[in-house]
Amino acid sequence: MTQGRFANQTAIVTGAARGIGLGIARRLASEGARVIAWDINFDQAGSKDPEGIVIESRIVDVTDSGAIQAGIDDVISRFGRLDIFVNNAGVTGTQATVQDYQLEEWNRVLTLDLTAVFLCCRACIPPMRDQGYGRIVNIASIAGKQPTPGIAAYSAAKSGVIGFTRSMARELAGSGVLANCVAPAMAATELIDALSPTFVEESRKKIPLGRFVTVEEIASVAAFAASPECSFTTGFTFDASGGRADF
Ligand SMILES: NC(=O)c1ccc[n+]([C@@H]2O[C@H](COP(=O)([O-])OP(=O)(O)OC[C@H]3O[C@@H](n4cnc5c(N)ncnc54)[C@H](O)[C@@H]3O)[C@@H](O)[C@H]2O)c1
Protein backbone atom coordinates (compact mmCIF):
# COMPACT_ATOMS: atom_id res chain seq x y z
CA MET A 1 0.00 0.00 0.00
CA THR A 2 1.29 3.44 -0.93
CA GLN A 3 1.26 5.62 2.17
CA GLY A 4 -0.03 9.11 1.60
CA ARG A 5 -1.62 8.31 -1.76
CA PHE A 6 -4.35 10.84 -0.97
CA ALA A 7 -2.22 13.46 0.79
CA ASN A 8 -3.65 16.98 0.34
CA GLN A 9 -6.84 15.58 -1.14
CA THR A 10 -10.38 16.13 0.10
CA ALA A 11 -13.01 13.40 -0.14
CA ILE A 12 -16.72 13.12 0.57
CA VAL A 13 -18.15 9.63 1.17
CA THR A 14 -21.93 9.29 1.46
CA GLY A 15 -23.64 6.82 3.77
CA ALA A 16 -20.38 6.59 5.70
CA ALA A 17 -21.61 6.23 9.29
CA ARG A 18 -21.22 2.47 9.02
CA GLY A 19 -20.71 -0.47 6.68
CA ILE A 20 -19.03 -0.10 3.29
CA GLY A 21 -19.09 3.70 3.36
CA LEU A 22 -17.27 3.78 6.68
CA GLY A 23 -14.77 1.25 5.34
CA ILE A 24 -14.07 3.41 2.29
CA ALA A 25 -13.83 6.57 4.40
CA ARG A 26 -11.34 4.88 6.73
CA ARG A 27 -9.25 3.61 3.82
CA LEU A 28 -9.05 7.05 2.16
CA ALA A 29 -8.28 8.75 5.48
CA SER A 30 -5.62 6.16 6.37
CA GLU A 31 -3.83 7.12 3.16
CA GLY A 32 -3.86 10.82 3.88
CA ALA A 33 -7.18 12.16 2.60
CA ARG A 34 -9.22 14.69 4.52
CA VAL A 35 -12.52 12.79 4.61
CA ILE A 36 -15.98 14.16 5.26
CA ALA A 37 -18.53 11.43 5.94
CA TRP A 38 -22.11 12.26 5.01
CA ASP A 39 -24.99 10.34 6.54
CA ILE A 40 -28.42 10.87 8.06
CA ASN A 41 -27.69 8.81 11.15
CA PHE A 42 -24.40 8.73 13.05
CA ASP A 43 -25.87 7.05 16.16
CA GLN A 44 -23.77 3.92 15.72
CA ALA A 45 -20.54 5.67 14.74
CA GLY A 46 -17.65 5.16 17.12
CA SER A 47 -16.72 8.27 19.07
CA LYS A 48 -12.96 7.69 18.78
CA ASP A 49 -11.21 5.63 16.17
CA PRO A 50 -8.78 3.19 17.81
CA GLU A 51 -6.26 3.70 15.03
CA GLY A 52 -6.46 7.47 15.27
CA ILE A 53 -7.99 7.86 11.81
CA VAL A 54 -9.79 11.20 11.59
CA ILE A 55 -13.07 11.37 9.68
CA GLU A 56 -15.38 14.40 9.85
CA SER A 57 -19.08 13.63 10.18
CA ARG A 58 -21.81 15.75 8.60
CA ILE A 59 -25.55 15.14 8.57
CA VAL A 60 -26.45 15.34 4.87
CA ASP A 61 -29.47 13.63 3.33
CA VAL A 62 -28.37 12.74 -0.19
CA THR A 63 -31.94 12.89 -1.48
CA ASP A 64 -32.04 16.62 -0.61
CA SER A 65 -30.40 18.71 -3.35
CA GLY A 66 -30.22 21.81 -1.10
CA ALA A 67 -28.39 19.90 1.63
CA ILE A 68 -26.00 18.39 -0.93
CA GLN A 69 -25.12 21.81 -2.38
CA ALA A 70 -24.65 23.29 1.11
CA GLY A 71 -22.36 20.37 2.02
CA ILE A 72 -20.21 20.85 -1.07
CA ASP A 73 -20.09 24.65 -0.65
CA ASP A 74 -18.92 24.10 2.93
CA VAL A 75 -16.08 21.81 1.80
CA ILE A 76 -14.95 24.18 -0.94
CA SER A 77 -15.05 27.21 1.36
CA ARG A 78 -13.02 25.45 4.06
CA PHE A 79 -10.57 23.38 2.01
CA GLY A 80 -10.58 24.99 -1.43
CA ARG A 81 -11.00 21.73 -3.33
CA LEU A 82 -12.96 18.51 -3.63
CA ASP A 83 -10.96 15.66 -5.17
CA ILE A 84 -13.03 12.54 -4.48
CA PHE A 85 -16.77 11.94 -4.23
CA VAL A 86 -17.96 8.44 -3.34
CA ASN A 87 -21.68 7.80 -3.82
CA ASN A 88 -22.23 4.95 -1.40
CA ALA A 89 -25.50 5.57 0.52
CA GLY A 90 -28.11 3.00 -0.45
CA VAL A 91 -30.88 0.61 0.59
CA THR A 92 -31.98 -2.76 -0.78
CA GLY A 93 -35.65 -2.03 -0.17
CA THR A 94 -38.31 -4.57 0.60
CA GLN A 95 -37.84 -8.08 -0.75
CA ALA A 96 -40.93 -8.91 -2.84
CA THR A 97 -41.82 -10.00 -6.35
CA VAL A 98 -42.64 -7.32 -8.91
CA GLN A 99 -46.36 -8.13 -8.90
CA ASP A 100 -46.46 -7.47 -5.15
CA TYR A 101 -44.09 -4.48 -5.09
CA GLN A 102 -45.52 -1.24 -3.69
CA LEU A 103 -45.04 1.94 -5.74
CA GLU A 104 -44.09 3.86 -2.60
CA GLU A 105 -41.25 1.41 -1.90
CA TRP A 106 -40.15 1.44 -5.56
CA ASN A 107 -39.93 5.24 -5.38
CA ARG A 108 -38.00 5.15 -2.07
CA VAL A 109 -35.40 2.75 -3.49
CA LEU A 110 -35.02 4.58 -6.82
CA THR A 111 -34.79 7.97 -5.08
CA LEU A 112 -31.94 6.96 -2.78
CA ASP A 113 -30.12 4.43 -4.97
CA LEU A 114 -30.29 6.30 -8.29
CA THR A 115 -31.68 9.86 -8.14
CA ALA A 116 -29.44 10.79 -5.20
CA VAL A 117 -26.39 9.63 -7.19
CA PHE A 118 -27.43 11.99 -9.99
CA LEU A 119 -27.99 14.87 -7.52
CA CYS A 120 -24.59 14.38 -5.86
CA CYS A 121 -22.74 14.05 -9.19
CA ARG A 122 -24.46 17.15 -10.56
CA ALA A 123 -23.28 19.12 -7.52
CA CYS A 124 -19.70 17.83 -7.29
CA ILE A 125 -18.83 18.15 -11.00
CA PRO A 126 -18.49 21.99 -11.15
CA PRO A 127 -15.73 22.32 -8.52
CA MET A 128 -13.95 19.25 -9.90
CA ARG A 129 -14.08 20.64 -13.44
CA ASP A 130 -12.86 24.04 -12.20
CA GLN A 131 -9.78 22.47 -10.57
CA GLY A 132 -9.23 20.14 -13.56
CA TYR A 133 -9.17 17.02 -11.41
CA GLY A 134 -11.69 14.71 -9.77
CA ARG A 135 -12.55 11.10 -9.11
CA ILE A 136 -16.20 10.06 -8.76
CA VAL A 137 -16.79 6.53 -7.47
CA ASN A 138 -20.34 5.18 -7.52
CA ILE A 139 -21.06 2.07 -5.49
CA ALA A 140 -23.32 -0.08 -7.66
CA SER A 141 -23.86 -3.81 -7.04
CA ILE A 142 -23.66 -7.18 -8.73
CA ALA A 143 -27.46 -6.82 -8.66
CA GLY A 144 -27.05 -4.17 -11.35
CA LYS A 145 -25.36 -6.69 -13.64
CA GLN A 146 -26.90 -10.09 -12.84
CA PRO A 147 -30.55 -11.13 -12.34
CA THR A 148 -31.63 -10.74 -8.70
CA PRO A 149 -35.25 -11.86 -8.36
CA GLY A 150 -36.98 -10.42 -5.29
CA ILE A 151 -35.18 -7.09 -5.31
CA ALA A 152 -36.01 -5.81 -8.81
CA ALA A 153 -36.22 -2.15 -7.69
CA TYR A 154 -32.70 -2.33 -6.23
CA SER A 155 -31.49 -4.15 -9.33
CA ALA A 156 -33.03 -1.49 -11.59
CA ALA A 157 -31.48 1.33 -9.55
CA LYS A 158 -28.02 -0.25 -9.58
CA SER A 159 -28.21 -0.96 -13.34
CA GLY A 160 -29.22 2.68 -13.64
CA VAL A 161 -26.15 3.81 -11.69
CA ILE A 162 -23.93 1.83 -14.07
CA GLY A 163 -25.59 3.30 -17.19
CA PHE A 164 -25.64 6.80 -15.72
CA THR A 165 -21.94 6.61 -14.86
CA ARG A 166 -21.01 5.41 -18.36
CA SER A 167 -22.78 8.37 -19.97
CA MET A 168 -21.54 10.92 -17.42
CA ALA A 169 -17.95 9.71 -17.78
CA ARG A 170 -18.11 10.29 -21.53
CA GLU A 171 -19.38 13.85 -20.90
CA LEU A 172 -16.47 14.46 -18.53
CA ALA A 173 -13.74 13.00 -20.76
CA GLY A 174 -10.91 15.49 -21.12
CA SER A 175 -11.89 17.51 -18.04
CA GLY A 176 -9.59 15.65 -15.62
CA VAL A 177 -12.65 14.21 -13.88
CA LEU A 178 -13.02 10.43 -14.12
CA ALA A 179 -16.10 8.52 -13.00
CA ASN A 180 -16.34 4.80 -12.34
CA CYS A 181 -18.48 2.29 -10.46
CA VAL A 182 -17.67 -0.57 -8.13
CA ALA A 183 -20.01 -3.57 -8.24
CA PRO A 184 -19.64 -5.72 -5.12
CA ALA A 185 -21.25 -9.03 -4.36
CA MET A 186 -22.92 -9.42 -0.98
CA ALA A 187 -21.09 -8.16 2.12
CA ALA A 188 -22.13 -8.88 5.71
CA THR A 189 -23.32 -5.37 6.64
CA GLU A 190 -26.58 -4.19 8.18
CA LEU A 191 -27.93 -3.57 4.66
CA ILE A 192 -28.68 -7.26 4.23
CA ASP A 193 -30.79 -7.38 7.42
CA ALA A 194 -33.72 -6.44 5.15
CA LEU A 195 -33.29 -9.70 3.22
CA SER A 196 -34.47 -13.18 4.23
CA PRO A 197 -31.86 -15.67 5.50
CA THR A 198 -32.71 -17.90 2.51
CA PHE A 199 -32.05 -15.09 0.03
CA VAL A 200 -28.75 -14.26 1.76
CA GLU A 201 -27.61 -17.91 1.71
CA GLU A 202 -28.63 -18.33 -1.95
CA SER A 203 -26.65 -15.18 -2.78
CA ARG A 204 -23.57 -16.56 -1.03
CA LYS A 205 -23.83 -19.80 -2.99
CA LYS A 206 -23.78 -17.86 -6.28
CA ILE A 207 -20.32 -16.44 -5.48
CA PRO A 208 -17.65 -18.72 -7.04
CA LEU A 209 -15.08 -17.78 -4.39
CA GLY A 210 -17.56 -19.18 -1.86
CA ARG A 211 -17.85 -16.32 0.63
CA PHE A 212 -19.07 -12.77 1.02
CA VAL A 213 -16.79 -9.90 0.04
CA THR A 214 -15.38 -7.97 3.00
CA VAL A 215 -15.80 -4.23 3.52
CA GLU A 216 -12.00 -3.89 3.35
CA GLU A 217 -11.89 -5.63 -0.04
CA ILE A 218 -14.52 -3.26 -1.44
CA ALA A 219 -12.67 -0.28 0.06
CA SER A 220 -9.48 -1.41 -1.63
CA VAL A 221 -11.11 -1.44 -5.08
CA ALA A 222 -12.88 1.88 -4.41
CA ALA A 223 -9.62 3.46 -3.25
CA PHE A 224 -7.93 2.56 -6.53
CA ALA A 225 -10.84 4.06 -8.50
CA ALA A 226 -10.56 7.20 -6.31
CA SER A 227 -6.82 7.57 -6.77
CA PRO A 228 -4.59 9.39 -9.26
CA GLU A 229 -3.27 5.93 -10.23
CA CYS A 230 -6.64 5.33 -11.86
CA SER A 231 -5.79 7.59 -14.77
CA PHE A 232 -6.93 5.78 -17.92
CA THR A 233 -10.20 4.17 -16.84
CA THR A 234 -13.51 6.02 -16.90
CA GLY A 235 -17.12 4.95 -17.26
CA PHE A 236 -16.11 1.46 -16.13
CA THR A 237 -17.54 -0.81 -13.45
CA PHE A 238 -14.85 -2.38 -11.28
CA ASP A 239 -15.72 -5.85 -10.07
CA ALA A 240 -15.71 -7.08 -6.48
CA SER A 241 -17.98 -10.06 -6.95
CA GLY A 242 -15.74 -13.04 -6.20
CA GLY A 243 -16.05 -14.32 -9.76
CA ARG A 244 -19.84 -14.00 -10.07
CA ALA A 245 -19.50 -11.41 -12.83
CA ASP A 246 -17.19 -12.64 -15.55
CA PHE A 247 -17.38 -9.60 -17.83
N1 LIG B 1 -23.84 -4.98 1.76
C1 LIG B 1 -23.94 -5.53 0.57
O1 LIG B 1 -24.11 -6.74 0.44
C2 LIG B 1 -23.78 -4.69 -0.68
C3 LIG B 1 -23.49 -5.34 -1.89
C4 LIG B 1 -23.36 -4.58 -3.04
C5 LIG B 1 -23.52 -3.22 -2.99
N2 LIG B 1 -23.79 -2.61 -1.79
C6 LIG B 1 -23.98 -1.16 -1.80
O2 LIG B 1 -23.02 -0.57 -0.94
C7 LIG B 1 -23.57 0.63 -0.39
C8 LIG B 1 -23.41 0.61 1.12
O3 LIG B 1 -24.06 -0.53 1.62
P1 LIG B 1 -23.87 -1.05 3.14
O4 LIG B 1 -23.97 -2.51 3.06
O5 LIG B 1 -22.70 -0.42 3.78
O6 LIG B 1 -25.23 -0.48 3.78
P2 LIG B 1 -25.58 0.01 5.26
O7 LIG B 1 -27.06 -0.09 5.38
O8 LIG B 1 -24.72 -0.67 6.27
O9 LIG B 1 -25.14 1.56 5.22
C9 LIG B 1 -25.84 2.48 4.43
C10 LIG B 1 -25.66 3.85 5.05
O10 LIG B 1 -26.37 4.81 4.21
C11 LIG B 1 -26.99 5.74 5.08
N3 LIG B 1 -28.10 6.43 4.43
C12 LIG B 1 -29.34 5.93 4.19
N4 LIG B 1 -30.12 6.87 3.62
C13 LIG B 1 -29.34 7.98 3.50
C14 LIG B 1 -29.57 9.29 2.99
N5 LIG B 1 -30.77 9.64 2.49
N6 LIG B 1 -28.55 10.18 3.01
C15 LIG B 1 -27.34 9.84 3.52
N7 LIG B 1 -27.07 8.62 4.02
C16 LIG B 1 -28.06 7.70 4.01
C17 LIG B 1 -27.45 4.90 6.28
O11 LIG B 1 -27.74 5.70 7.42
C18 LIG B 1 -26.25 3.97 6.46
O12 LIG B 1 -25.30 4.51 7.36
C19 LIG B 1 -25.01 0.70 -0.86
O13 LIG B 1 -25.11 1.54 -2.00
C20 LIG B 1 -25.31 -0.72 -1.26
O14 LIG B 1 -26.32 -0.83 -2.22
C21 LIG B 1 -23.92 -3.31 -0.64
Side-chain angles (χ1 to χ4, degrees), residues 7-77:
N8 302 316
Q9 294 203 355
T10 304
I12 292 173
V13 183
T14 74
R18 69 183 196 195
I20 294 167
L22 179 60
I24 295 170
R26 288 172 52 85
R27 178 66 190 254
L28 299 180
S30 73
E31 294 192 60
R34 185 186 297 110
V35 180
I36 299 96
W38 286 4
D39 209 296
I40 49 169
N41 181 2
F42 283 98
D43 289 354
Q44 297 172 44
S47 53
K48 181 137 178 47
D49 191 292
E51 293 165 34
I53 295 170
V54 178
I55 298 168
E56 245 188 68
S57 301
R58 284 280 185 278
I59 300 281
V60 178
D61 180 344
V62 294
T63 64
D64 177 345
S65 60
I68 293 165
Q69 192 58 56
I72 287 180
D73 290 348
D74 170 63
V75 165
I76 298 299
S77 71

Side-chain angles (χ1 to χ4, degrees), residues 15-231:
R18 69 183 196 195
I20 294 167
L22 179 60
I24 295 170
R26 288 172 52 85
R27 178 66 190 254
L28 299 180
S30 73
E31 294 192 60
R34 185 186 297 110
V35 180
I36 299 96
W38 286 4
D39 209 296
I40 49 169
N41 181 2
F42 283 98
D43 289 354
Q44 297 172 44
S47 53
K48 181 137 178 47
D49 191 292
E51 293 165 34
I53 295 170
V54 178
I55 298 168
E56 245 188 68
S57 301
R58 284 280 185 278
I59 300 281
V60 178
D61 180 344
V62 294
T63 64
D64 177 345
S65 60
I68 293 165
Q69 192 58 56
I72 287 180
D73 290 348
D74 170 63
V75 165
I76 298 299
S77 71
R78 288 191 296 137
F79 307 120
R81 56 187 298 119
L82 174 59
D83 301 282
I84 299 164
F85 197 102
V86 182
N87 279 294
N88 167 81
V91 281
T92 52
T94 303
Q95 189 188 333
T97 57
V98 171
Q99 68 183 25
D100 294 325
Y101 219 83
Q102 299 299 307
L103 176 60
E104 191 181 42
E105 183 65 350
W106 168 273
N107 286 335
R108 186 178 77 93
V109 173
L110 270 288
T111 298
L112 178 57
D113 290 355
L114 181 57
T115 307
V117 175
F118 152 65
L119 292 174
C120 288
C121 289
R122 189 177 63 169
C124 77
I125 286 170
M128 288 182 171
R129 266 192 187 276
D130 288 350
Q131 70 200 14
Y133 180 87
R135 296 287 182 271
I136 297 171
V137 182
N138 295 332
I139 306 303
S141 169
I142 189 68
K145 297 179 75 177
Q146 299 281 330
T148 43
I151 51 170
Y154 181 74
S155 185
K158 294 299 187 179
S159 292
V161 168
I162 291 169
F164 168 76
T165 306
R166 293 171 72 195
S167 296
M168 178 177 66
R170 194 65 68 88
E171 289 179 13
L172 292 170
S175 68
V177 184
L178 307 185
N180 291 291
C181 293
V182 177
M186 193 170 274
T189 67
E190 289 170 68
L191 181 101
I192 64 172
D193 291 351
L195 304 169
S196 73
T198 308
F199 183 98
V200 169
E201 181 51 19
E202 288 302 316
S203 299
R204 193 189 59 73
K205 284 187 193 156
K206 288 180 192 165
I207 301 172
L209 292 189
R211 62 169 175 84
F212 294 150
V213 61
T214 67
V215 166
E216 290 74 19
E217 286 169 328
I218 299 169
S220 176
V221 178
F224 172 73
S227 74
E229 286 175 283
C230 178
S231 57

